[in-house]
Structure formats: C-alpha cells, structure tokens
Amino acid sequence: MKSFKEIYRTSENKISGIAAAPGIIIGEAYLYTKEKLQISKADVTDIEKAKSDLTEAIAKSKKELNKIFAIAREKMDEVRAAIFEAQLMILDDPILLNEIIRRVETERKSPEYVVDDEISKYQSKMILSHEAYMKERALDIEDIKQRIVRNLQKKRWESKITHNVIVISETLTPADTILLSRNKVLAFVTDHGGLTSHAAIISRSLNIPAVVGTHNSTTQIKDGDEIIVDGFYGYV
C-alpha cells in the first residue's frame, strides 16, 4: 500500500489544473453531469400560445435566479453576488427579448429553438474573443439559455448529492456552484474554466477548494474514486 505522499507525488496518479480556490481535501468523487437538452425545431401553429409559453418560461427563470441571487447575498459579499444580478439584467434585455418574440412570430418555429439559436449568436461572438474574460462570460450566458429552454420544456434541476463528495464536472455555472454548495460538497474540480470564471470566484468566496482547467478530469476520474484536491497548487 502506497503512502499518502507516494500517491501524491506519483505522476500517473496526478492531474494538473489551475489552483482556483485554496485548501486541501480528501474525499469521494462525484461526477456531475447535467441532462443534455434536446432542442425541437418544430413548426408552431398557435403563435399566441408560443409567446405565452415563452413569457412564462422567462418569468420562471427570473424567479429562479432571484432565489439564487438571494442565497448568494447570504453567503458572499454584495460585489460577488452581483454576478447573478448581471444575469438577471440579460433576462430583462428588451432588445434580446423583442428579437426572440419577433422571430417566433415570423419564423413560426418553437420558442425553445429560437431562444437557443438567438442566444447562441451572442455566445459565438464572446467565444471568438481573444480575451479569457469574454470566453468565461459565454458560459454564464449558457446558463441563462439552458434555464429558459428547461423551463419551456417544464423540466426541473435536481441535485442527487446525498453525502460528502468532491464534485467533478466539465464546467460549472455560477448557479451550479451556489446550489451545489448548499449540499454536502467538499471541493470542485472542472475540465474547463480559469481564475476569472465565476465558478472559481464563487468557490473562493465560499472557502470551498477548487481546481479548474484540468482538461480531462471527467475522463480520468470515476464515481466513488477517493481523490485529493490541492487548491493551493492546482493538483488532483
């Protein structure tokens, strides 16, 4: 049996990433994946119902984000909690919302398709930016897009965490990070993301160790593996 130090120093057992939030934690890995939403491009016959469904889904999305914003304000300072206020502003953007409604009316396609397509245009511009900050913000917008589509499809986000675990995920949105922190989460590890990602900023605010930008943690680590997360030096 290898000692703790031997395991920690053995290169084949070590995944490198970016130290996003300090701390060292040993615990059980939990691979966190969200259901991939299937987008329907179906034709719409009842335009008024489609617009009503869209309005309802946006209102529900705002309600959810307001709740998360309230939790964030309890757990973090106002400056960092403002991450969610910025997301709420996108849901109130008249140019974006009016364009989505206009497209539903003229193209007569399902609201979920129009929402996905229209918001994806904004994301594409951000992802093409040479600035890491802008690329990170594209992930925040992904959360808003998925939230509206999920509410149009009448689906719910549910956490299946029942005991102390280290969450391993490809990416984490700000909302994911806040909501998972209310469960029994010891640390976060993600394939993507950097120091400016809101998930990293929130982890630091909540004193939850985090290593981000590992590229392959979700393929190297299995559910139930016992792992060490070193948020000081960026190793798993």
Side-chain angles (χ1 to χ4, degrees):
M1 173 87 59
K2 288 184 179 180
S3 70
F4 173 88
K5 285 185 178 178
E6 285 174 321
I7 292 170
Y8 190 66
R9 288 172 181 167
T10 305
S11 60
E12 63 264 27
N13 288 329
K14 193 184 330 185
I15 299 170
S16 299
I18 299 165
I24 294 179
I25 289 289
I26 303 173
E28 180 184 329
Y30 173 81
L31 263 66
Y32 170 71
T33 54
K34 273 188 173 180
E35 177 191 359
K36 191 163 178 64
L37 299 173
Q38 299 301 312
I39 307 296
S40 168
K41 198 180 176 181
D43 292 333
V44 170
T45 52
D46 189 339
I47 296 296
E48 291 309 311
K49 184 181 186 307
K51 286 161 61 178
S52 173
D53 289 346
L54 178 62
T55 302
E56 187 181 314
I58 290 169
K60 189 167 185 192
S61 298
K62 282 184 193 175
K63 188 176 179 181
E64 289 170 354
L65 273 175
N66 271 311
K67 186 177 178 182
I68 295 165
F69 184 31
I71 296 166
R73 279 186 295 189
E74 284 176 19
K75 289 175 167 275
M76 305 188 298
D77 60 58
E78 286 286 337
V79 174
R80 286 172 177 158
I83 289 167
F84 299 100
E85 194 169 26
Q87 287 192 321
L88 282 162
M89 286 171 70
I90 295 171
L91 283 171
D92 275 326
D93 182 349
I95 296 171
L96 174 64
L97 299 180
N98 288 340
E99 180 59 14
I100 289 170
I101 291 168
R102 184 196 69 77
R103 286 187 59 188
V104 170
E105 289 174 335
T106 57
E107 296 174 25
R108 304 181 78 87
K109 294 294 180 185
S110 67
E112 65 189 69
Y113 166 74
V114 177
V115 165
D116 181 71
D117 187 63
E118 191 62 31
I119 296 180
S120 292
K121 289 179 186 177
Y122 283 75
Q123 289 177 285
S124 297
K125 290 174 185 175
M126 290 180 169
I127 291 166
L128 289 171
S129 168
H130 295 296
E131 293 183 24
Y133 180 84
M134 290 300 288
K135 290 180 180 179
E136 294 287 1
R137 297 300 73 81
L139 179 60
D140 295 352
I141 294 175
E142 178 70 19
D143 180 58
I144 293 168
K145 181 175 75 178
Q146 293 290 316
R147 190 173 295 280
I148 298 170
V149 170
R150 193 168 61 248
N151 283 325
L152 278 164
Q153 295 180 354
K154 304 289 194 289
K155 292 183 176 178
R156 292 184 64 189
W157 184 96
E158 289 182 359
S159 167
K160 297 182 176 67
I161 295 174
T162 57
H163 59 286
N164 291 336
V165 291
I166 294 168
V167 169
I168 316 294
S169 183
E170 287 187 11
T171 60
L172 286 172
T173 67
D176 291 335
T177 313
I178 279 287
L179 292 172
L180 287 169
S181 75
R182 300 181 80 198
N183 293 293
K184 302 172 186 297
V185 173
L186 301 172
F188 293 114
V189 177
T190 65
D191 288 347
H192 308 296
L195 285 174
T196 60
S197 71
H198 281 155
I201 293 166
I202 292 168
S203 295
R204 290 194 291 274
S205 299
L206 301 176
N207 297 315
I208 297 176
V211 175
V212 302
T214 60
H215 300 294
N216 63 353
S217 60
T218 54
T219 58
Q220 299 289 102
I221 299 169
K222 297 179 181 66
D223 260 330
D225 280 354
E226 187 174 26
I227 63 171
I228 305 161
V229 174
D230 184 341
F232 290 109
Y233 293 98
Y235 292 115
V236 182

